[in-house]
Amino acid sequence: MLAGKHILTGITGGIAAYKTAALVRLLVKEGAEIKVVMTETARRFITPLTMATLSKNPVMVDFFNPENGEWNSHVSLGLWADAYIIAPATANSIGKMAAGIADNLLLTAYLSAKCPVFVAPAMDLDMYRHPAICRNIETLKSHGDIIIDAETGKLASGLEGRGRMAEPETIVAHVNSYFEASFSGMRALVTAGPTYERIDPVRFISNYSSGKMGYAIAETLAQQGADVILISGPTHLSPMHPNIRRVNTVSASEMYEECLHLFPSCDIAVMCAAVADFTPEKQEENKIKQKTDLTISLTKTKDIAAELGRIKQDRQILAGFALETENELHNAREKLKSKNMDFIVLNSLNDTGSGFGIDTNRITIIDSDGREIRFDTKPKTAVAKDIVFHIQQKLKEITDSEL
Ligand code: CTP
């Protein structure tokens, strides 16, 4: 599973750092390409020379290589990595990651990482159960990070309890199972952003959608191996992942044409765009001049999700969104059914933390099998991971039902 994967390994300053040498050996044995980034304190526990030899790559500690001034770019590391494993993760580093502090290369790479982040904490038992640490670990989970729980056993302090870093084999098993459940070889279509419905050469009808949610879903699917076609309305965003091909559209009818053309070759479609429901009946050639009264006749646009639902095959997953301001659950269930979706993601403008242009969202997933799963308010990147995880579960159900 890990052959050819780029794995960034971060080592913070704890005694369990010696186990990271074994972890890197195992990852290399699995065929992964490894780069190691260490904190200054980690160097006291295990030498960069050991880690460079095992990883077959120079180890990075500073923002700049002290020998030649070369910049160790955390942004490039974040883009290079298919997975970032931080092991051991000390209480101090976990606190900084939770707070967004960026005072070393390992932490800046964490903040820049586009890939799944695995965190293997290691500390003394009383620290591990301290409310401050529990809270910080919860915060990391809300970022979408995967926590590999510390194990119970003899600790460096001589005490016995939970706090030992998970064994290297356990960490590799977590990373493996993450990639096993991935989307490699699959094609996903994601719509995102608003549409612009032209009135005249200078005016249009649109909505407040920023596209952030759809772009986050496209990024997450791509990170997990899918080939993603992102059919985007006009936004200020740009996709980062090389597995994302963006198709730019402006109007609802352009988006409809692209979706209809591309959906048959896709395994997954996530309809995240805020498609205009109405478009001017007539588009003026010239700018409409100032008048005392102006009435614009609108006609309905085609419903893209409903059309994809109509032509959907059994092996295809179709997911959509419902943005509601009233009777939220009822309306979302109706849309799920009428558009023949596998699940719908409800967000209500009445929830604080949800809505246009902001970086968080609070969702409820309503599944066609009747399940309703309510999530906490989270950053849109973490919400994207929850949605993508649900797609994985649906695909697994399809595979299991075929056995
Ligand atoms: N959608 C679509 N094409 C449209 C309208 C909506 O593909 N012409 C999709 C959206 O991308 C979303 C789902 O349908 O996945 C629901 O969109 P929403 O705007 O919440 O609801 P509508 O179906 O437009 O219904 P209403 O405006 O009456 O709430």
Side-chain angles (χ1 to χ4, degrees):
M1 262 303 141
L2 300 185
K5 289 270 185 286
H6 292 170
I7 299 188
L8 183 62
T9 307
I11 312 178
T12 70
I15 184 69
Y18 78 92
K19 287 202 215 168
T20 312
L23 171 66
V24 167
R25 273 197 66 195
L26 286 177
L27 293 168
V28 169
K29 225 164 118 193
E30 296 255 341
E33 199 184 318
I34 311 295
K35 286 188 183 177
V36 175
V37 54
M38 299 171 85
T39 61
E40 196 54 51
T41 325
R43 299 169 61 154
R44 304 211 194 133
F45 291 95
I46 187 145
T47 70
L49 180 62
T50 307
M51 298 314 302
T53 311
L54 292 171
S55 67
K56 306 187 170 91
N57 268 315
V59 167
M60 292 158 284
V61 178
D62 301 313
F63 289 106
F64 293 92
N65 180 334
E67 312 283 278
N68 58 14
E70 194 186 317
W71 186 40
N72 288 324
S73 163
H74 54 91
V75 178
S76 324
L77 282 176
L79 288 175
W80 173 85
D82 295 311
Y84 187 10
I85 308 175
I86 301 178
T90 57
N92 185 38
S93 289
I94 289 173
K96 289 181 179 181
M97 285 152 70
I101 292 172
D103 63 358
N104 63 43
L105 185 64
L106 181 143
L107 293 168
T108 47
Y110 169 72
L111 295 175
S112 304
K114 295 269 163 207
C115 58
V117 179
F118 297 83
V119 181
M123 63 198 77
D124 209 48
L125 75 162
D126 291 318
M127 291 171 81
Y128 197 52
R129 60 183 176 213
H130 192 282
I133 303 294
C134 297
R135 213 170 35 238
N136 287 339
I137 288 181
E138 284 310 309
T139 304
L140 297 193
K141 285 185 189 164
S142 80
H143 297 168
D145 301 342
I146 299 154
I147 307 296
I148 305 175
D149 229 354
E151 293 172 359
T152 305
K154 205 139 190 78
L155 302 167
S157 60
L159 298 172
E160 217 164 314
R162 186 175 288 280
R164 279 167 65 104
M165 185 176 93
E167 291 304 315
E169 291 77 8
T170 312
I171 297 175
V172 173
H174 269 86
V175 182
N176 255 320
S177 64
Y178 179 87
F179 283 111
E180 255 165 35
S182 78
F183 297 95
S184 69
M186 291 203 172
R187 209 162 184 220
L189 181 153
V190 179
T191 65
T195 63
Y196 286 2
E197 307 305 317
R198 188 176 182 277
I199 298 171
D200 70 10
V202 293
R203 304 178 179 96
F204 55 82
I205 298 172
S206 191
N207 54 64
Y208 293 118
S209 170
S210 64
K212 283 181 182 168
M213 194 64 248
Y215 275 62
I217 291 172
E219 261 334 302
T220 308
L221 284 164
Q223 282 158 14
Q224 295 189 31
D227 271 326
V228 180
I229 305 166
L230 175 62
I231 303 189
S232 177
T235 72
H236 297 293
L237 307 171
S238 23
M240 302 293 285
H241 201 286
N243 285 3
I244 302 177
R245 174 160 74 87
R246 180 165 68 171
V247 176
N248 290 321
T249 58
V250 177
S251 64
S253 73
E254 277 175 33
M255 194 175 268
Y256 176 88
E257 293 303 327
E258 292 293 350
C259 288
L260 264 277
H261 170 61
L262 292 161
F263 179 61
S265 64
C266 292
D267 306 279
I268 300 155
V270 187
M271 313 309 288
C272 210
V275 186
D277 289 324
F278 297 96
T279 192
E281 202 165 42
K282 184 163 166 274
Q283 293 183 5
E284 298 297 333
E285 285 276 313
N286 296 308
K287 186 181 171 204
I288 301 171
K289 301 307 277 179
Q290 208 180 57
K291 293 181 184 167
T292 43
D293 282 320
L294 173 67
T295 306
I296 300 175
S297 293
L298 302 175
T299 55
K300 269 195 76 60
T301 57
K302 288 186 191 154
D303 191 319
I304 307 169
E307 186 54 21
L308 300 194
R310 201 182 61 74
I311 60 172
K312 179 176 108 66
Q313 304 294 305
D314 288 346
R315 284 193 59 87
Q316 287 179 302
I317 299 285
L318 176 64
F321 275 73
L323 178 66
E324 303 297 339
T325 54
E326 55 178 353
N327 298 326
E328 288 94 338
L329 280 168
H330 172 79
N331 290 341
R333 286 188 203 117
E334 287 294 307
K335 283 179 194 172
L336 170 75
K337 221 159 95 195
S338 66
K339 302 189 192 214
N340 190 29
M341 293 172 175
D342 294 282
F343 68 90
I344 196 158
V345 180
L346 163 66
N347 44 92
S348 164
L349 277 187
N350 296 325
D351 276 336
T352 40
S354 286
F356 291 119
I358 58 174
D359 288 324
T360 56
N361 203 355
R362 177 159 202 202
I363 61 158
T364 303
I365 290 182
I366 306 174
D367 196 288
S368 56
D369 66 11
R371 272 180 299 161
E372 292 184 0
I373 313 159
R374 185 146 174 79
F375 294 84
D376 293 334
T377 304
K378 296 182 183 185
K380 284 185 175 163
T381 46
V383 173
K385 287 183 179 152
D386 290 333
I387 294 167
V388 168
F389 181 69
H390 199 81
I391 297 173
Q392 262 170 12
Q393 287 183 324
K394 297 298 286 176
L395 287 168
K396 190 168 175 302
E397 278 164 30
I398 295 177
T399 320
D400 290 352
S401 70
E402 286 173 350
L403 292 177

